[in-house]
Amino acid sequence: MSEDQHITEVAGTGVPIPGDDIDTDQILPARFMKEVTFDNMAEYLFYDARRDDDGGERSDGSRASSDDESDGEFNDHPLNRFDGASIAVVNTNFGCGSSREHAPQAMMRWGVDGVVGESFAEIFADNCKSLGIPAITAGHEKVVALQEWIEDNPDGEVEIDVEDETVTYGDQVTHGEVDDAMQEALVDGIWDTTALMYSNLSKVERTAAELPYVEEV
Amino acid sequence: MSENTLYDSVWEQHKVTELPNGQDQLFVGLHLIHEVTSPQAFAMLEEREHEVAFPDRNFATTDHIAPTEAEKRERPLSDGESEEMLSALERNVSEHGITYFGFESGKQGITHVVAPELGLTQPGMTVACGDSHTATHGAFGSIGVGVGTSQIRDILATGCIAADKQQVRRIEVEGTLGEGVYAKDIILKIIQELGVDGGVGHVYEYGGPAIRELEMEGRLAVCNMSIEGGARAGYINPDETTYEYLRGREYVPEGDAFEQRKEYWESIKSGEDAVYDDVVTIDVDGMDPLVTWGINPGQVIELSEPVPAPEDFEARTDREAAERALEHMEFEPGQSMLGYDVDVAFLGTCTNGRVSDFEVAAEVLEGRQISDDVRALAVPGSETVREQCEQRGLDEVFIDAGFQWRRAGCSMCLAMNDDSLEGDEVCASSSNRNFIGRQGSKDGRTVLMSPAMVAAAAVEGEVTDARRFLSDDARTVSPTDVEEVAD
């Protein structure tokens, strides 16, 4: 990922992922985090929900692990039906629970470039920002209308405009909201916070030196 | 905007500068590292050829994948993936000069248990960890936040996170807890009242008489589950209870230095003139123990309440969530949680894996046997906790009752090691999340409760009012009481 990548809009076909309070344990079950890179995370995205068979236990009683891709038939979960989509459309409090970046990493690696939702859990939204994935919120009716439209128009394009805070699909332009910091970061291409903060390292040292509990800097 | 709260003071002292995106660059005074969310961050760091900016402010241990059976802790670990993660952690901390509490140290355990008990967590600090339960550290009057892996990279490279200042909601907890009702019940009550996303955009400041009365381990349990209410951080202003807990711990200064540090701790407390964005009052007087009936921690009731029906909820989202919960848990509205069959009892975690948690569970188990149908695990939150419990002979109480007495780790809270629910087992659990699939089986069912309630459920093989094992005089609830309420 380049350090100066401006993200003003993202577009592609959509995938509705309906349901409130979808937690990161559902998005990326913990047993698949036993890898030291994010490389394979797309395979485990919504692992249990996407498969008919018990993804946690096979018929011989052993547990599924990351090197086992054989168990479970893909069902009609939206991620299976809308393969190739770039814009995920979700409901309230999406990504609550665990802070695992594995969840948005898995979505990104599966192909998601942007998310439209009623609301997002904070850490999840932060992680999206770190990865340059725009997350835009809109009201319940707008989001449901978009989810229904995608069901009817699986090949239709959905575009998130980060600068204008709109979602465009068919002949509709829906206004939403992008968190100020996320908008600034993406539009100005300054979402790589490491580079940004590293340039202030001498100031950091001064701040730290004034804290009574920091021994020596 | 809030003014003169602890959150405001700590934020100001740790703020380095404002970033061009409008966020603040905030110095992280204590960064805790574990094996699951850090290897990718170290890899990103190396890719950019950065050093760790403040190695002395970083501490690491292993918890998520840690085997809890002694013989399985031999290296290399029998599970190849776990071994790879653990080796990566050991290599990373050693290369970057970071203090590491591994199996051999005798101090290994869950980050949020280890840091407080060693005195690493102190009032007025900013604490971060790649784990959402970092809110735990707020019990000392620090600001603890869970972060993602890219933010771990930020902290390693710069000692900072980019953060937005939140609103502060004061939660005034009034009343006195009855016998057999604990800190865990307080936080479950708060989440019941404010919802699982009620805290989004907020930091919770817990206070009031019921909070002041809590010992540090209870305060840790309350702050731990802030994230379950949607609040990324939750804290309690430090007081003499806090200072007395800290005195004499390994990383806490002694003598005059302690007194000086204490002046700082006193200085960051919320002022009497503090302004909050919001104040909520919750009364816990006469409250019964709480248990979850659903698939998120907000779906929780007192033992005296019946399982609700979807139509009992005003919000559409709550009604739909209730429908999903009833289906997964196989409950009927109006029924009592008392008598719900339990297959597994799990004691431990960063919420309730501390010495006092095992003490109260042992009080229930003393002289009793667990049900033949129950598989029961007692997993200390750290090796230090295990040792202290064993010094008090608690391990024998658990073993005599039929519990397995294990080594420290996150264990069946999220089943990244071998400790997992199987099939649709029901688990009485002292952990923090009852999400579908959380304990390792997508059909598994989790009922969250206090450690005393877990021990009582293990004995009876069903959800039961633990208070009848604790005292002859304590108030108790029977299923008939609940049915009367439901009618």
Side-chain angles (χ1 to χ4, degrees):
Chain A
M1 275 170 281
S2 106
E3 289 177 18
D4 53 11
Q5 195 182 339
H6 300 261
I7 299 173
T8 49
E9 72 258 324
V10 289
T13 58
V15 51
I17 307 176
D20 298 316
D21 303 318
I22 291 182
D23 56 77
T24 50
D25 276 276
Q26 292 179 58
I27 300 171
L28 201 289
R31 63 188 188 278
F32 299 115
M33 292 199 292
K34 286 163 72 171
E35 296 187 14
V36 294
T37 71
F38 291 127
D39 297 349
N40 302 322
M41 289 299 135
E43 284 174 39
Y44 316 132
L45 180 63
F46 282 100
Y47 190 93
D48 292 333
R50 284 171 72 189
R51 286 162 180 80
D52 272 334
D53 294 349
D54 188 340
E57 193 178 336
R58 294 194 302 266
S59 49
D60 63 0
S62 63
R63 290 181 66 210
S65 68
S66 49
D67 54 10
D68 182 354
E69 294 152 36
S70 61
D71 50 305
E73 295 289 316
F74 278 124
N75 56 24
D76 65 351
H77 188 276
L79 287 170
N80 299 330
R81 290 189 290 120
F82 295 87
D83 196 25
S86 311
I87 309 293
V89 186
V90 304
N91 300 98
T92 64
N93 200 27
F94 186 81
C96 62
S98 157
S99 60
R100 62 190 69 158
E101 188 173 305
H102 300 68
Q105 283 274 2
M107 292 173 68
M108 181 178 81
R109 287 161 196 272
W110 182 88
V112 171
D113 294 327
V115 196
V116 184
E118 292 181 50
S119 63
F120 300 99
E122 263 165 52
I123 304 179
F124 181 84
D126 251 12
N127 285 333
C128 284
K129 186 170 64 198
S130 298
L131 299 177
I133 303 172
I136 182 167
T137 56
H140 173 65
E141 271 143 41
K142 288 177 175 177
V143 168
V144 170
L146 174 55
Q147 288 176 325
E148 286 169 357
W149 185 85
I150 294 170
E151 285 286 348
D152 296 336
N153 299 277
D155 300 322
E157 184 168 276
V158 180
E159 182 186 284
I160 300 173
D161 190 313
V162 182
E163 209 161 7
D164 292 346
E165 301 181 72
T166 55
V167 182
T168 307
Y169 60 98
D171 54 5
Q172 296 278 321
V173 180
T174 291
H175 289 271
E177 233 175 279
V178 180
D179 169 76
D180 289 347
M182 176 182 274
Q183 188 182 32
E184 291 271 344
L186 296 179
V187 173
D188 293 345
I190 49 171
W191 44 278
D192 182 336
T193 42
T194 300
L196 201 59
M197 296 197 294
Y198 193 72
S199 62
N200 298 327
L201 208 53
S202 56
K203 278 188 199 166
V204 179
E205 283 164 1
R206 285 202 293 278
T207 304
E210 282 181 21
L211 292 165
Y213 65 84
V214 177
E215 305 283 317
E216 273 172 33
V217 179
Chain B
M1 283 303 285
S2 62
E3 288 170 31
N4 203 19
T5 68
L6 178 143
Y7 182 67
D8 291 289
S9 307
V10 174
W11 190 279
E12 277 316 308
Q13 290 185 15
H14 291 78
K15 179 176 167 176
V16 174
T17 186
E18 189 177 325
L19 295 169
N21 66 7
Q23 291 189 297
D24 284 345
Q25 178 168 351
L26 211 60
F27 180 70
V28 173
L30 175 63
H31 179 219
L32 304 171
I33 296 169
H34 64 82
E35 71 285 0
V36 176
T37 55
S38 69
Q40 306 87 344
F42 279 107
M44 295 179 205
L45 193 75
E46 277 154 25
E47 209 172 278
R48 296 174 187 224
E49 298 178 354
H50 281 320
E51 295 295 319
V52 173
F54 299 91
D56 293 350
R57 303 314 307 162
N58 291 264
F59 294 85
T61 186
T62 173
D63 49 15
H64 285 64
I65 56 103
T68 59
E69 288 159 278
E71 63 278 13
K72 288 192 180 167
R73 287 157 85 100
E74 300 281 322
R75 302 291 297 276
L77 300 176
S78 56
D79 178 72
E81 289 176 318
S82 298
E83 175 57 37
E84 194 185 350
M85 301 201 88
L86 191 51
S87 307
L89 177 71
E90 290 166 342
R91 196 170 54 244
N92 287 328
V93 294
S94 141
E95 274 175 21
H96 293 282
I98 293 170
T99 303
Y100 170 61
F101 307 115
F103 293 151
E104 306 296 316
S105 70
K107 298 174 189 171
Q108 172 268 336
I110 308 172
T111 53
H112 314 309
V113 176
V114 171
E117 73 192 359
L118 294 181
L120 284 167
T121 308
Q122 294 174 18
M125 283 182 174
T126 44
V127 185
C129 173
D131 188 285
S132 60
H133 290 112
T134 311
T136 310
H137 306 270
F140 290 85
S142 65
I143 301 300
V145 290
V147 294
T149 296
S150 296
Q151 291 173 304
I152 298 175
R153 174 198 63 201
D154 287 352
I155 299 167
L156 293 173
T158 73
C160 295
I161 51 170
D164 293 301
K165 201 171 170 195
Q166 312 282 37
Q167 298 202 316
V168 184
R169 174 178 293 147
R170 165 87 176 179
I171 301 180
E172 190 74 22
V173 186
E174 305 216 317
T176 309
L177 291 179
E179 180 153 20
V181 187
Y182 305 96
K184 179 69 163 285
D185 299 298
I186 295 181
I187 187 62
L188 287 172
K189 186 74 190 175
I190 291 171
I191 300 168
Q192 181 192 36
E193 301 237 338
L194 302 179
V196 289
D197 58 357
V200 172
H202 290 84
V203 165
Y204 283 170
E205 176 179 301
Y206 306 99
I211 298 293
R212 269 200 306 277
E213 284 300 308
L214 292 175
E215 293 298 324
M216 283 314 294
E217 296 193 351
R219 295 180 186 190
L220 287 159
V222 169
C223 291
N224 171 271
M225 288 185 70
S226 300
I227 186 69
E228 267 58 69
R232 197 164 180 176
Y235 67 88
I236 295 169
N237 279 294
D239 59 13
E240 286 304 320
T241 304
T242 322
Y243 312 142
E244 284 317 303
Y245 177 93
L246 286 165
R247 203 186 285 277
R249 295 196 182 254
E250 186 177 342
Y251 284 88
V252 177
E254 292 172 9
D256 289 348
F258 181 90
E259 296 308 321
Q260 275 173 18
R261 193 68 66 86
K262 190 172 149 183
E263 279 174 33
Y264 169 65
W265 298 338
E266 279 285 299
S267 75
I268 49 97
K269 287 162 73 162
S270 295
E272 286 184 8
D273 57 347
V275 178
Y276 298 94
D277 296 286
D278 189 21
V279 180
V280 173
T281 302
I282 296 202
D283 191 351
V284 297
D285 226 30
M287 182 174 80
D288 292 308
L290 281 89
V291 288
T292 56
W293 55 272
I295 51 175
N296 73 49
Q299 293 176 322
V300 62
I301 47 177
E302 291 184 41
L303 284 181
S304 48
E305 295 175 285
V307 171
E311 52 270 27
D312 294 342
F313 296 94
E314 270 176 46
R316 173 194 54 81
T317 51
D318 290 340
R319 286 196 299 275
E320 289 172 6
E323 280 167 18
R324 286 197 303 277
L326 292 172
E327 187 188 335
H328 182 80
M329 299 299 288
E330 297 176 14
F331 282 134
E332 293 298 328
Q335 86 179 75
S336 169
M337 284 297 295
L338 293 160
Y340 185 57
D341 279 346
V342 163
D343 307 299
V344 178
F346 173 54
L347 263 178
T349 78
C350 58
T351 315
N352 282 131
R354 301 185 177 84
V355 174
S356 60
D357 298 314
F358 293 99
E359 273 175 341
V360 71
E363 208 181 317
V364 170
L365 294 173
E366 182 87 59
R368 295 193 171 90
Q369 286 288 310
I370 64 167
S371 162
D372 290 342
D373 303 327
V374 172
R375 180 157 65 95
L377 266 66
V379 186
S382 72
E383 286 295 288
T384 308
V385 169
R386 182 177 67 85
E387 198 183 301
Q388 288 173 357
C389 287
E390 290 179 3
Q391 278 165 4
R392 294 167 203 211
L394 298 181
D395 54 327
E396 285 173 27
V397 177
F398 283 96
I399 292 164
D400 290 349
F403 264 79
Q404 300 173 42
W405 181 251
R406 295 288 188 90
R407 308 294 289 266
C410 297
S411 183
M412 206 190 276
C413 181
L414 83 171
M416 283 194 71
N417 66 354
D418 288 344
D419 308 335
S420 172
L421 292 186
E422 304 290 343
D424 66 354
E425 279 180 332
V426 174
C427 181
S429 181
S430 71
S431 59
N432 41 54
R433 288 188 177 137
N434 50 344
F435 297 151
I436 292 176
R438 171 76 179 181
Q439 292 193 287
S441 165
K442 71 172 180 176
D443 299 316
R445 292 169 285 174
T446 303
V447 183
L448 302 178
M449 55 183 80
S450 73
M453 287 287 294
V454 170
V459 170
E460 292 295 320
E462 58 184 42
V463 176
T464 193
D465 191 337
R467 293 174 295 186
R468 64 195 178 87
F469 294 136
L470 290 167
S471 154
D472 293 337
D473 314 323
R475 169 189 154 80
T476 54
V477 181
S478 75
T480 13
D481 301 333
V482 182
E483 279 151 25
E484 278 166 21
V485 174
D487 293 339

